[in-house]
């Protein structure tokens, strides 16, 4: 007993538990702070044994129960849009003139009340593992029968028993395969019109369980991630404060510009209904109800949203309760180590009502940018009619033109660290004022930037909120547009040295071409890089010379001798190939490394998709192939126009193999009828079609202005 006491254990049996009067049966207990323990302990003799019966009731705190604290969930089957609107009721007319913060508080409270009425939270039972949804009761009976047969076969069996068991096992396996096939086909068919749901289904089917790299869902790890991201930005900012640099004129003073936009246009009910229908229904844990339910019930919620949005636009204030961001961690590459914090990218998950409000402001601000032609013509990121395809087409076309002239080109791909997270609010507001914004518009944008905070979420655990004094949240609707405005002067600085540039958000690509006999022109590029580095430091953006890549585009490799540019005192080595916006570019622009990489990845996906063929019908299998294979073949396929047939042939083989997989055709069967049956164009014609579509958009004002 003394030994037990040293470990904090108490013996609770006070009387004899044996017929001879000895206490041989013991109950030890260690005190629980939450009130758990042993109660109602009784000792009773039994006629058929010399030991007595000890009966007691054990009470334990929830965290010691099996499964821990039960997870509270809302049954989706109870979330009916009509019932939700009935429980919510009409918008109270007496609150129409309230401040926007009070209106958002009313929205959250009434939404929570309505969802609690139709679908109250209930604990999710975790006493036992949840069976697979396709594992029916009939399969469970067959499984029990199989185990009985296995026991008989192991104890004493003959050849007939073994044959019988083998036939039964084959029947059981066939039944399981059929049930799983029906379930997977139903899941994929129901997710065809929902890309996010389809992606989750496919990822669950094809991703091995030991891969992936989700971090441990603990509060301590959340706090560690939050400190890491906060310290990373603080370190970058502190380095800028200690470096003495000449601040560029556009940072210290905004150019004089009359106010061109001083108030927002208020929205109507039809505008709200359109925005709710177009906005992605991504739900944040801070939302009072699922965003998909708000989207489905948008007809009855338009008045609620209209009052909140118009109050925010009139007051020039972004609601304070919508400024909290929940950080979701995204592994930058599947091959990276998930235990290293630096391998994750923080993505902000914001409240749905705030993103709707951002949609309204972004649409009006985008119209202003188009009318004033403010954005840099070389900027292709997050602009209507622009994208990675237009940026790469413009870049590769420039390089091809210089090759045809016999020139040598140096392509410099700059790398920035946490560019969105280090945007200086004062500089950004100066740029916004310099482009002609004022009044409640500028006041609203200032309110949108200040007072923000974020917390890291892993599973059910969250870190403490961390205030943000700089940066624009990644994952919001308005942030990419604000970042493009922030980067506007950079293109002008680069072109002032006679160097071309192509921008896609924070991906900056410099291209300098010159005759091969003129070695001195690399000094022009060095001066340009020095000016870019000074501008970045003045604007609180960090360049990474160690990750900056340089590609020499030339007919002859020896023409690059002595053409190594310098950035911040670091000599940038020339590489044989670089990756630009997901496309591998080589020195001769043959695109052979890019085509080989695409073909290799597509064949790997086909190998995985082939595992689903027994479970899926032809339409569902075609959906999976388009999601995993065709998307790879079509990405930037405009660059494949004019390539040699031997290069494009690799991609054509992938398409033929995908057609055989869907149709179930034999290997030696002709592929032309298969493509005609599937309504697929061959690879070369698909690329030509994309070029024609891009040219049509450019000529009709729905794409980049010509010339690219």
């Amino acid at each position: 007993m003394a030994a037990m006491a040293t470990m904090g254990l108490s013996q609770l049996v006070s009387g004899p538990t044996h017929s001879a009067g000895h206490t041989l049966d013991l109950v030890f207990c260690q005190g629980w702070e939450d009130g758990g323990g042993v109660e109602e302990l009784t000792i009773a003799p039994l006629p058929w044994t010399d030991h007595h019966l000890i009966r007691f009731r054990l009470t334990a705190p929830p965290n010691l129960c099996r499964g821990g604290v039960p997870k509270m969930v809302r049954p989706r089957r109870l979330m009916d849009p009509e019932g939700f609107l009935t429980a919510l009721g009409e918008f109270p007319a007496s609150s129409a003139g309230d401040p926007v913060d009070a209106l958002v508080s009313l929205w959250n409270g009434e939404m929570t009340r309505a969802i609690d009425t139709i679908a109250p939270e209930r604990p999710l039972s975790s006493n036992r593992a949840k069976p697979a949804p396709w594992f029916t009761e009939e399969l469970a009976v067959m499984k029990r029968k199989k185990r009985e047969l296995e026991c008989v076969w192991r104890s004493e069996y003959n050849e007939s028993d073994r044959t019988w068991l083998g036939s039964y096992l084959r029947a059981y396996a066939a039944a399981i395969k059929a049930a799983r096939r029906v379930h997977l086909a139903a899941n994929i068919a129901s997710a065809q019109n929902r890309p996010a749901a389809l992606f989750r289904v496919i990822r669950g089917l094809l991703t091995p369980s030991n891969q992936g790299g989700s971090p441990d869902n603990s509060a301590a790890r959340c706090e560690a991630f939050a400190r890491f991201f906060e310290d990373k930005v603080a370190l970058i900012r502190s380095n800028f404060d200690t470096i003495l640099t000449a601040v560029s004129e556009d940072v210290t003073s905004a150019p004089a510009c009359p106010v061109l936009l001083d108030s927002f246009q208020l929205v109507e009910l039809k505008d709200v209904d359109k925005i709710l229908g177009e906005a992605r229904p991504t739900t944040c844990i801070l939302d009072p109800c699922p965003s998909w339910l708000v989207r489905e019930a948008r007809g009855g919620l338009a008045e609620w949203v209209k009052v909140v949005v118009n109050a925010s636009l009139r007051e020039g204030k972004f609601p304070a309760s919508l400024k909290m961001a929940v950080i979701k961690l995204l592994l930058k590459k599947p091959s990276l180590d998930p235990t290293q914090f630096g391998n994750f990218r923080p993505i902000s998950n914001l409240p749905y009502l705030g993103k709707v409000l951002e949609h309204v402001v972004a649409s009006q601000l985008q119209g202003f940018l188009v009318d004033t032609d403010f954005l840099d013509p070389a900027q292709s990121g997050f602009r209507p009619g622009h994208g990675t395809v237009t940026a790469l087409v413009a870049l590769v076309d420039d390089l091809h033109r210089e090759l045809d002239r016999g020139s040598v080109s140096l392509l410099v791909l700059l790398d920035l660290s946490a560019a969105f997270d280090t945007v200086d609010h004062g500089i950004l507001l100066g740029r916004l004022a310099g482009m002609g914004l004022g009044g409640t518009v500028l006041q609203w944008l200032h309110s949108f930037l200040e007072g923000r905070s974020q917390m890291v979420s892993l599973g059910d655990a969250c870190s403490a909120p961390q205030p943000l004094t700089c940066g624009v949240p990644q994952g919001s609707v308005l942030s990419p547009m604000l970042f493009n405005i922030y980067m506007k002067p950079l293109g002008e600085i680069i072109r002032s040295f006679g160097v071309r540039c192509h921008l896609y958000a924070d991906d900056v690509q410099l291209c300098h071409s010159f005759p091969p006999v003129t070695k001195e022109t690399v000094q022009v590029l060095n001066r340009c890089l020095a000016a870019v580095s000074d501008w970045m430091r003045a604007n609180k953006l960090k360049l990474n010379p160690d990750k900056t890549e340089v590609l020499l585009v030339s007919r002859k490799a020896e023409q690059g001798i002595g053409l190594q540019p310098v950035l911040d005192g670091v000599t940038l080595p020339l590489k044989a190939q670089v990756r630009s916006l997901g496309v591998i570019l080589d020195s001769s622009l043959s695109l052979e490394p890019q085509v080989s990489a695409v073909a290799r990845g597509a064949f790997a996906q086909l190998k995985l998709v082939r595992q689903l063929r027994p479970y899926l019908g032809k339409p569902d299998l075609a959906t999976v192939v388009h999601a995993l294979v065709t998307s790879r073949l079509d990405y930037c396929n405009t660059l494949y126009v004019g390539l040699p047939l031997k290069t494009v042939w690799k991609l054509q083989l992938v398409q033929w193999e995908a057609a055989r997989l869907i149709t179930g055709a034999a290997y030696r069967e002709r592929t032309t009828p298969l493509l005609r049956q599937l309504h697929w164009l061959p690879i070369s014609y698909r690329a030509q079609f994309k070029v024609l579509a891009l040219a049509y958009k450019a000529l009709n004002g729905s794409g980049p202005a010509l010339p690219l």
Side-chain angles (χ1 to χ4, degrees), residues 478-695:
L478 201 55
S479 293
M481 187 179 302
L482 296 177
F483 188 81
N484 285 346
I485 296 173
Y486 193 80
M487 298 287 287
K488 169 67 165 58
L490 181 60
E492 301 173 359
I493 293 176
I494 295 174
R495 286 189 292 270
S496 66
F497 290 88
V499 179
R500 300 186 303 277
C501 66
H502 299 274
L503 311 174
Y504 189 87
D506 60 337
D507 288 309
V508 183
Q509 307 178 63
L510 284 69
C511 182
H512 185 45
S513 304
F514 47 89
V517 296
T518 310
K519 303 291 185 179
E520 294 78 9
T521 53
V522 73
Q523 303 301 326
V524 176
L525 182 59
N526 288 337
R527 290 195 295 271
C528 178
L529 291 175
V532 168
S533 180
D534 291 341
W535 186 88
M536 291 287 183
R537 282 195 293 267
N539 288 269
K540 309 297 179 67
L541 299 174
K542 181 183 178 182
L543 275 174
N544 284 330
D546 296 335
K547 294 184 179 180
T548 297
E549 299 179 326
V550 180
L551 176 69
L552 174 70
V553 181
S554 174
R555 300 289 186 188
K556 301 177 182 180
E558 60 270 12
Q559 292 177 341
I561 299 176
L563 298 179
Q564 292 181 318
V566 178
L567 176 61
D568 286 345
V570 178
T571 301
L572 305 178
L574 303 181
K575 294 195 173 183
Q577 60 186 37
V578 296
R579 184 180 293 273
S580 174
L581 299 177
V583 173
I584 301 175
L585 301 178
D586 57 289
S587 297
S588 60
L589 298 182
S590 65
L591 293 183
E592 289 187 2
Q594 165 67 12
V595 172
S596 299
V598 171
R600 184 167 54 253
F603 272 124
Q605 295 298 318
L606 279 176
K607 184 178 180 181
L608 294 175
V609 175
R610 191 176 297 277
Q611 302 176 17
L612 301 178
R613 185 177 176 183
Y615 310 116
L616 302 178
K618 181 178 176 180
D620 300 328
L621 191 61
T623 301
V624 177
V625 169
H626 286 315
L628 297 179
V629 180
T630 309
S631 59
R632 294 173 179 264
L633 300 179
D634 286 347
Y635 179 67
C636 288
N637 59 350
T638 52
L639 304 179
Y640 303 153
V641 174
L643 293 181
L645 292 179
K646 66 175 183 179
T647 302
V648 185
W649 186 257
K650 300 177 183 179
L651 302 179
Q652 189 61 64
L653 292 176
V654 176
Q655 189 188 47
W656 287 345
E657 187 64 25
R660 294 190 188 97
L661 177 62
I662 294 176
T663 59
Y667 177 75
R668 295 186 177 276
E669 190 170 344
R670 294 185 60 221
T671 55
T672 300
L674 299 181
L675 297 183
R676 187 180 296 113
Q677 176 186 348
L678 296 171
H679 300 282
W680 289 3
L681 286 174
I683 292 298
S684 58
Y685 290 100
R686 293 175 76 92
Q688 294 178 20
F689 176 79
K690 285 291 185 66
V691 171
L692 295 175
L694 182 60

Side-chain angles (χ1 to χ4, degrees), residues 54-219:
I54 301 178
R55 183 186 290 110
F56 58 90
R57 185 166 63 89
L58 178 66
T59 60
N63 60 343
L64 295 182
C65 297
R66 183 176 180 181
V69 179
K71 183 178 181 180
M72 305 301 291
V73 297
R74 298 184 189 274
R76 180 161 181 159
R77 57 183 174 82
L78 300 179
M79 298 183 190
D80 175 50
E82 296 296 331
F84 177 72
L85 291 177
T86 302
L88 180 64
E90 299 291 335
F91 177 80
S94 58
S95 302
D98 291 349
V100 63
D101 286 324
L103 292 174
V104 173
S105 178
L106 176 66
W107 163 278
N108 292 333
E110 291 300 309
M111 290 291 164
T112 302
R113 180 189 59 79
I115 196 67
D116 285 339
T117 301
I118 64 171
E121 287 186 338
R122 60 183 63 177
L124 180 64
S125 176
S126 58
N127 292 334
R128 60 178 181 177
K130 185 179 180 181
W134 49 266
F135 195 79
T136 61
E137 183 61 30
E138 181 181 0
L139 290 176
V141 173
M142 293 183 68
K143 185 176 182 179
R144 289 193 293 269
K145 181 64 175 178
K146 175 180 72 75
R147 288 178 175 175
E148 293 176 4
L149 293 174
E150 287 176 343
C151 292
V152 173
W153 177 64
R154 288 192 181 96
S155 59
E156 49 181 61
Y157 67 91
N158 51 38
E159 192 63 30
S160 61
D161 293 336
R162 189 166 189 168
T163 305
W164 183 27
L165 177 60
S167 61
Y168 189 88
L169 289 179
R170 286 192 294 271
Y172 175 66
I176 287 182
K177 182 180 294 186
R180 190 166 184 257
R181 181 190 304 121
V182 172
H183 175 71
L184 296 182
N187 273 358
I188 294 181
S190 63
Q192 283 186 3
N193 298 325
R194 296 179 294 157
L198 177 62
F199 175 75
R200 287 194 297 269
V201 171
I202 295 173
R203 182 177 57 184
L205 296 176
L206 300 182
T207 304
S209 58
N210 58 349
Q211 294 182 3
S214 296
D216 181 31
N217 298 334
S218 63

Side-chain angles (χ1 to χ4, degrees), residues 400-413:
H400 273 298
R401 290 174 184 270
E402 295 300 331
L403 275 182
D404 293 340
R405 296 189 183 102
S407 300
V408 177
S409 299
L410 285 175
L411 177 64
V412 183
L413 308 180

Side-chain angles (χ1 to χ4, degrees), residues 153-438:
W153 177 64
R154 288 192 181 96
S155 59
E156 49 181 61
Y157 67 91
N158 51 38
E159 192 63 30
S160 61
D161 293 336
R162 189 166 189 168
T163 305
W164 183 27
L165 177 60
S167 61
Y168 189 88
L169 289 179
R170 286 192 294 271
Y172 175 66
I176 287 182
K177 182 180 294 186
R180 190 166 184 257
R181 181 190 304 121
V182 172
H183 175 71
L184 296 182
N187 273 358
I188 294 181
S190 63
Q192 283 186 3
N193 298 325
R194 296 179 294 157
L198 177 62
F199 175 75
R200 287 194 297 269
V201 171
I202 295 173
R203 182 177 57 184
L205 296 176
L206 300 182
T207 304
S209 58
N210 58 349
Q211 294 182 3
S214 296
D216 181 31
N217 298 334
S218 63
R221 193 164 176 83
C222 289
E223 295 292 345
F225 268 107
R227 289 193 300 270
F228 172 79
F229 293 132
E230 182 182 18
D231 295 343
K232 179 180 179 180
V233 175
L235 179 61
I236 294 175
R237 300 276 295 185
S238 63
N239 291 336
F240 292 135
D241 296 337
T242 57
I243 296 177
L244 297 177
T245 179
V247 180
S248 56
E249 182 180 354
D250 65 281
V251 175
T252 56
S253 61
C257 179
V259 176
L260 304 177
L261 181 65
D262 58 357
S263 62
F264 290 112
Q265 182 179 359
L266 302 183
V267 298
E268 302 294 336
L269 289 178
K270 60 179 181 179
D271 302 325
V272 173
D273 185 77
K274 180 180 178 181
I275 291 174
L276 290 177
E278 294 177 350
R280 293 182 59 188
T282 53
T283 301
C284 176
I285 61 176
L286 303 177
D287 286 326
C289 66
S291 54
W292 67 264
L293 183 60
V294 176
R295 184 175 182 176
E296 292 294 328
R298 60 182 179 273
L301 295 177
E303 181 65 26
W304 289 78
V305 178
K306 172 190 170 183
V307 173
V308 174
V309 170
N310 287 341
S312 175
L313 300 182
R314 280 195 303 266
E315 298 176 20
K317 181 179 180 180
F318 189 81
S321 59
L322 303 180
K323 295 182 182 182
M324 170 69 74
V326 179
I327 298 298
K328 298 294 184 180
L329 303 176
L330 177 65
L331 196 62
K332 296 178 181 179
K333 294 181 182 179
S335 59
L336 295 178
D337 183 7
T339 61
Q340 300 296 322
F341 292 172
N343 293 337
F344 287 91
R345 180 178 289 109
I347 303 298
S348 299
N349 191 10
L350 300 163
Y352 182 69
L353 183 59
K355 299 184 77 169
V356 171
L357 182 54
E358 288 185 54
H359 264 289
V360 175
V361 174
S363 61
Q364 299 190 29
L365 188 58
Q366 180 64 44
F368 176 78
L369 294 175
V370 173
D371 293 340
T372 58
D373 195 21
F374 178 82
L375 292 181
D376 194 291
Q379 178 62 260
S380 300
F382 307 102
R383 298 178 62 183
H386 296 68
T388 56
V389 176
T390 59
L392 286 168
V393 167
L395 172 62
V396 175
D397 183 67
D398 285 347
L399 296 176
H400 273 298
R401 290 174 184 270
E402 295 300 331
L403 275 182
D404 293 340
R405 296 189 183 102
S407 300
V408 177
S409 299
L410 285 175
L411 177 64
V412 183
L413 308 180
L414 299 179
D415 182 83
L416 280 73
S417 292
F420 275 69
D421 298 329
T422 57
V423 169
D424 187 85
H425 290 171
I427 299 176
L428 176 58
L429 290 173
R431 301 247 162 83
L432 293 172
M435 62 184 284
L437 301 182

